[in-house]
Each structure stands twice: as C-alpha cells, then as structure tokens.
Amino acid sequence: MPSENLKIRKPNANDGVAIHQLIENCPPLDLNSTYLYLLQCTHFSETCVVAEIDGQVAAFLSGYIKPNSPNTFFLWQVAVGDVARGKGMAKQLINEVLKREACNQVEFLETTITPDNQASWGLFRSFAKERSAQLEDKVFFTSQQLGGEHEQEVLVKIGPFK
C-alpha cells in the first residue's frame, strides 16, 4: 500500500454510501442505515476517520467524545476493507482521531467487543500496551438486553494515556 495512494481524512456526506457498503462487507460488524453513517460523517466528522486508497473508501472509524466524560473517546466501529487489511490500518485510524483537537482532553478510550471477536481484542490489547495503559473490561450489554439475537457486548476501557 504505497503512501501516495493512501489518504486519511475527516469524512463528509459524500462518504455515507461507500461507508455503508464497506461495513456491509466487514462481518461481523453490525450494519446500520446509510442515514446513520451520513450523520456520523457530518455531525461527528471531528471524531470519525476515513481512509481512502486510490480514491476509494478502504477503512472507516466512528466514535465520539462521551457527553458526560469529556476525557473519554468512545470508539463505536472500526471497519477495514480487504485492500487495507493486515497493514495496521485500524490502529492508524485510532491514533489519527486521538491526535485531533476535538480529542485534546481524551485520556481514555472505550469500546465494546463481543467475546469471540479475537481480531478486535488483539487490536485493543496492542493499543493499550503501546500506550502503557491499563485495559479493563466488563459486560456492558447482555445478550438478553440486546434482544437475545446478539452476543453480549463487553465494555473495554483503556487508559489513562496521553
């Protein structure tokens, strides 16, 4: 993946459909509506990241600063398409968003992961280790709370870090 073909940037409304398609092609991620991705690309563009390769959306990270915890970034989804896999793209997107002015006060990263998503567990353990930060986890939503058709979601909290 030559660097001249890679562009990492804030998303915009023109990215909504491509992000929806990317996430549709990244199981086991939950697919949301194109409308939701458009809101993320516009209302939350400061805390979301798009990676383009050769002008095509290849990866997307969505998240937000928690309303009652301005020192905590909640990472909602990170999707990396086939063309960008195996190259550390997810961690690059995390680091990119945390460098932004919107994240100046962030000392903690939170996300949820299903127990069997080994790729995500590996990513966030590695991120915590690189930041010399604690990683704590606890059940956040039970399968029952999620309607019984979804595995439980474990809240992962990493930090503090700078």
Side-chain angles (χ1 to χ4, degrees):
M1 179 172 46
S3 60
E4 62 268 16
N5 295 330
L6 173 65
K7 182 177 181 183
I8 295 177
R9 60 176 175 78
K10 294 177 186 176
N12 61 63
N14 295 325
D15 297 316
V17 170
I19 290 167
H20 185 268
Q21 292 170 342
L22 170 71
I23 293 173
E24 187 172 33
N25 292 323
C26 291
L29 292 179
D30 290 328
L31 182 64
N32 297 287
S33 69
T34 300
Y35 178 74
L36 175 101
Y37 295 115
L38 286 168
L39 289 175
Q40 290 178 324
C41 290
T42 54
H43 291 184
F44 298 97
S45 64
E46 294 295 322
T47 56
C48 294
V49 184
V50 165
E52 287 182 1
I53 295 176
D54 296 328
Q56 301 297 312
V57 172
F60 176 67
L61 177 145
S62 62
Y64 55 88
I65 306 298
K66 287 180 66 175
N68 295 323
S69 298
N71 69 343
T72 303
F73 177 79
F74 186 86
L75 192 156
W76 184 0
Q77 278 186 321
V78 61
V80 179
D82 289 338
V83 70
R85 285 204 183 117
K87 298 170 172 62
M89 179 62 69
K91 198 179 297 178
Q92 190 172 347
L93 296 182
I94 295 168
N95 288 324
E96 173 66 27
V97 77
L98 292 176
K99 288 190 308 190
R100 291 188 182 161
E101 187 175 334
C103 293
N104 278 349
Q105 295 181 42
V106 170
E107 298 177 292
F108 296 92
L109 180 143
E110 289 184 352
T111 193
T112 63
I113 308 172
T114 56
D116 67 347
N117 189 337
Q118 293 307 310
S120 288
W121 283 105
L123 167 65
F124 291 104
R125 285 181 181 126
S126 172
F127 175 82
K129 184 177 180 179
E130 285 181 10
R131 297 274 177 138
S132 300
Q134 291 282 85
L135 184 150
E136 298 174 0
D137 61 88
K138 65 181 179 181
V139 174
F140 190 55
F141 295 123
T142 66
S143 178
Q144 182 180 2
Q145 288 173 309
L146 293 163
E149 297 179 10
H150 191 289
E151 206 176 350
Q152 71 183 8
E153 290 281 350
V154 176
L155 179 68
V156 173
K157 184 171 186 171
I158 299 170
F161 59 81
K162 282 289 179 188

